[in-house]
């Protein structure tokens, strides 16, 4: 899986139109505008999404209830308490509104966007706007989806570099297949009752990968 999306030089109006057409019909509990009228739970969350959101302290250790599950072609960390609480065939969602919940969303949502249900994920788990439109149109034009997920290595650790009630930046530590580690960052925002990935202006999900060492990261230990 490439850490940076391929971006095509296309006028913004065409990109928005193309993106709207490609995401049409991919609605659900996290869609903008609540098309299914299901976000009547506490804090505007879907009715069947309940998490403990009291702990706003950046984690210094992996969640004690961490579970590793295969998603697309990668093993990803999950937590029965911090999320995702719902893992259906289209997308995994319902994360705690905490730094740990944001960190898990930053691991999981971009991986889902490399899978076959990426349109549903993009429609419901990415922040709407021109960056998402650029991601969608470039993804649709790409020559298939890379099957070499191991090019990314495995998730080794993370660091919540910034956090507020409405946004977070999570740095991911991944193993380098050639040896050592690399790090990249993912931004998420709280919107429509859950964390969503905020793509960069050019549509990229991740920042450019850099060489890194484990110092300063919470190590997953898996």
């Amino acid at each position: 899986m490439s850490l940076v999306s391929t971006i095509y030089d296309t006028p913004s109006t065409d990109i928005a139109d193309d993106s709207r057409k490609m995401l049409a019909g991919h609605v659900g509990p996290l869609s903008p505008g609540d098309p299914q009228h299901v976000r009547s739970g506490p804090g505007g969350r879907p009715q069947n999404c309940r998490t403990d959101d009291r702990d706003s302290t950046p984690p210094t250790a992996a969640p004690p209830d961490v579970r590793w599950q295969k998603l697309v072609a990668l093993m990803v960390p999950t937590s029965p308490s911090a999320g995702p609480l719902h893992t259906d065939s289209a997308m995994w969602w319902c994360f705690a509104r905490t730094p740990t919940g944001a960190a898990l969303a930053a691991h999981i949502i971009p991986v889902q966007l490399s899978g076959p249900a990426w349109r549903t994920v993009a429609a419901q788990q990415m922040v709407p706007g021109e960056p998402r439109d650029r991601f969608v149109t470039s993804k649709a034009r790409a020559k298939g989806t890379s099957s070499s997920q191991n090019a990314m290595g495995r998730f080794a650790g993370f660091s919540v570099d910034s956090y507020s009630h409405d946004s977070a930046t999570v740095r991911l530590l991944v193993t380098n297949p050639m040896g050592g580690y690399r790090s990249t960052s993912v931004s998420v925002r709280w919107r429509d009752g859950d964390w969503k990935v905020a793509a960069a202006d050019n549509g990229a999900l991740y920042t450019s990968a850099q060489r890194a060492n484990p110092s300063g990261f919470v190590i997953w230990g898996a």
Side-chain angles (χ1 to χ4, degrees), residues 24-46:
H26 294 277
V27 296
L30 303 180
S31 299
D34 195 6
Q36 296 182 354
H37 305 288
V38 295
R39 282 202 298 277
S40 57
R45 307 202 75 179

Side-chain angles (χ1 to χ4, degrees), residues 36-193:
Q36 296 182 354
H37 305 288
V38 295
R39 282 202 298 277
S40 57
R45 307 202 75 179
Q47 288 183 339
N48 58 346
C49 178
R50 298 288 189 276
T51 56
D52 184 346
D53 303 334
R54 292 174 294 178
D55 189 1
S56 61
T57 305
T60 57
D65 60 353
V66 65
R67 303 287 186 271
W68 289 86
Q69 299 185 55
K70 190 173 184 179
L71 178 61
V72 188
L74 285 176
M75 297 300 292
V76 296
T78 67
S79 162
S81 59
L85 270 60
H86 295 287
T87 55
D88 59 37
S89 59
M91 64 181 196
W92 296 11
W93 62 283
C94 190
F95 298 91
R97 197 173 189 176
T98 64
T100 299
L104 291 169
H107 283 75
I108 289 168
I109 297 173
V111 173
Q112 293 183 125
L113 287 163
S114 69
W118 69 267
R119 286 179 174 81
T120 297
V121 179
Q124 299 189 52
Q125 293 187 288
M126 292 186 71
V127 176
E130 186 173 334
R132 183 182 72 171
D133 293 340
R134 289 190 176 278
F135 169 82
V136 169
T137 54
S138 63
K139 176 76 173 176
R141 293 173 182 174
K143 300 295 184 180
T145 301
S146 172
S147 61
S148 181
Q149 300 289 333
N150 289 334
M152 184 176 175
R154 65 174 179 82
F155 292 120
F158 70 96
S159 172
V160 180
D161 286 356
S162 67
Y163 179 82
S164 73
H165 201 50
D166 297 314
S167 65
T169 299
V170 181
R171 195 155 49 110
L172 308 178
L173 182 71
V174 297
T175 59
N176 186 341
M178 303 301 293
Y181 298 91
R182 296 180 292 173
S183 70
T184 183
S185 294
V186 175
S187 294
V188 295
R189 294 180 190 168
W190 188 264
R191 188 180 177 113
D192 301 324

